Amino acid sequence: MGFHYLDMERYPRRSQFEYFRTLAYPYAGMTVNVDITGLMELLKDRELPFYLTMLYLAARTANDIPAFRQRIRGDRIIEFDRCIPSYTLALDHGNYCYCSADEQLPYLEYLADARCRQEAARAANRIADDETSEQMYFFSSVPWVSYTAITQPVPMPPDSNPRITWGRYFTAEGR
């Protein structure tokens, strides 16, 4: 998969990049409520899976945003042409493994492909990242609770991969 280095001399956010590189925990995150009423109606009517659909939509959206495809490599920033969604897949006894997805496929093909990938991931039962981890988005869900913030684990040495999570959906004011 392709990438290119950004021209740091012309990078408009260079001063922010230099500043945040000096911080011990340079990560920023936010939690927002999203109205998914229409999506839930569609999923229920067509008996489609919530988690895989959210992953599909979030990964496609993230790949549409250049800053989400950027990673820090040494003293420079690279931008991938596309990033790979990697997500936690629940296993028996409360464990999980990692599984990747191909959100570039048409939606129904994506669902069939995702089910095959899930079977392979369950069989492999891996929690370690592979050599493409720099190019990944990390997705997860905590469907048992609705939350207003979450702190993500960060590896040593730290990476610059976006981490996208969602909790339990809820009804508020009829939506």
Side-chain angles (χ1 to χ4, degrees), residues 20-79:
F20 276 90
R21 291 187 66 221
T22 68
L23 302 177
Y25 192 83
Y27 305 99
M30 70 174 64
T31 300
V32 297
N33 289 329
V34 178
D35 184 348
I36 59 169
T37 305
L39 176 64
M40 291 306 296
E41 291 168 358
L42 179 82
L43 295 178
K44 287 178 184 176
D45 287 347
R46 298 187 183 173
E47 298 179 353
L48 296 168
F50 177 77
Y51 187 72
L52 287 175
T53 301
M54 285 294 294
L55 176 68
Y56 182 79
L57 296 171
R60 290 177 71 96
T61 300
N63 268 311
D64 284 345
I65 302 169
F68 276 45
R69 297 191 316 268
Q70 295 172 1
R71 305 292 186 270
I72 298 169
R73 185 181 282 175
D75 293 336
R76 300 178 72 189
I77 299 174
I78 61 171
E79 183 176 307

Side-chain angles (χ1 to χ4, degrees), residues 110-166:
Y110 155 83
L111 289 177
D113 181 67
R115 289 181 184 109
C116 291
R117 288 172 182 254
Q118 286 179 342
E119 286 179 31
R122 282 186 177 103
N125 193 12
R126 293 187 65 228
I127 194 164
D129 294 322
D130 63 20
E131 66 279 352
T132 62
S133 65
E134 182 183 41
Q135 190 175 354
M136 292 182 166
Y137 296 120
F138 298 128
F139 290 89
S140 190
S141 177
V142 184
W144 306 278
V145 296
S146 295
Y147 50 86
T148 57
I150 188 169
T151 301
Q152 296 280 350
V154 179
M156 293 288 289
D159 63 34
S160 54
N161 300 60
R163 287 159 169 77
I164 302 168
T165 68
W166 54 87

